[in-house]
């Protein structure tokens, strides 16, 4: 279990660095945060490193579009 520091989600560089360093295998987030994280991965080209160990990506709590699913 990896918990981010308080307000860590607001710092996407910290979030992605932590995902990579801790070799995160599962993520649970809202669709809004998922879109933000994917946009950050695309702009920094850091998604491959963070998703290398990812096995499960759960999202919920609000509308989840098919477009977002295609980006994942």
């Amino acid at each position: 279990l990896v918990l981010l520091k308080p307000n860590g989600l607001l710092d996407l560089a910290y979030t992605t660095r932590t995902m990579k360093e801790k070799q995160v295998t599962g993520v649970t987030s809202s669709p809004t945060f998922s879109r933000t994280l994917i946009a950050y991965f695309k702009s920094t080209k850091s998604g491959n490193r963070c998703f290398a160990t990812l096995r499960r990506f759960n999202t919920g709590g609000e509308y989840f579009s098919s477009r977002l699913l295609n980006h994942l």
Side-chain angles (χ1 to χ4, degrees), residues 4-15 28-29 33 36-37:
L4 298 175
K5 67 182 180 183
N7 296 316
L9 286 177
L10 301 176
D11 182 351
L12 293 175
Y14 164 76
T15 299
T28 301
S29 75
F33 183 72
T36 303
L37 193 59

Side-chain angles (χ1 to χ4, degrees), residues 2-71:
V2 177
L3 299 175
L4 298 175
K5 67 182 180 183
N7 296 316
L9 286 177
L10 301 176
D11 182 351
L12 293 175
Y14 164 76
T15 299
T16 56
R17 186 174 57 252
T18 301
M19 288 175 68
K20 180 183 169 210
E21 290 173 1
K22 301 295 184 181
Q23 298 180 345
V24 171
T25 59
V27 171
T28 301
S29 75
S30 68
T32 298
F33 183 72
S34 298
R35 278 190 294 278
T36 303
L37 193 59
I38 291 167
Y40 179 79
F41 286 158
K42 285 184 176 184
S43 71
T44 62
K45 300 184 180 10
S46 62
N48 290 341
R49 293 178 300 221
C50 291
F51 284 144
T53 58
L54 198 63
R55 301 291 176 251
R56 185 176 24 87
F57 195 97
N58 299 322
T59 187
E62 58 191 56
Y63 176 72
F64 185 85
S65 69
S66 59
R67 183 176 179 203
L68 177 57
L69 179 61
N70 291 334
H71 286 299

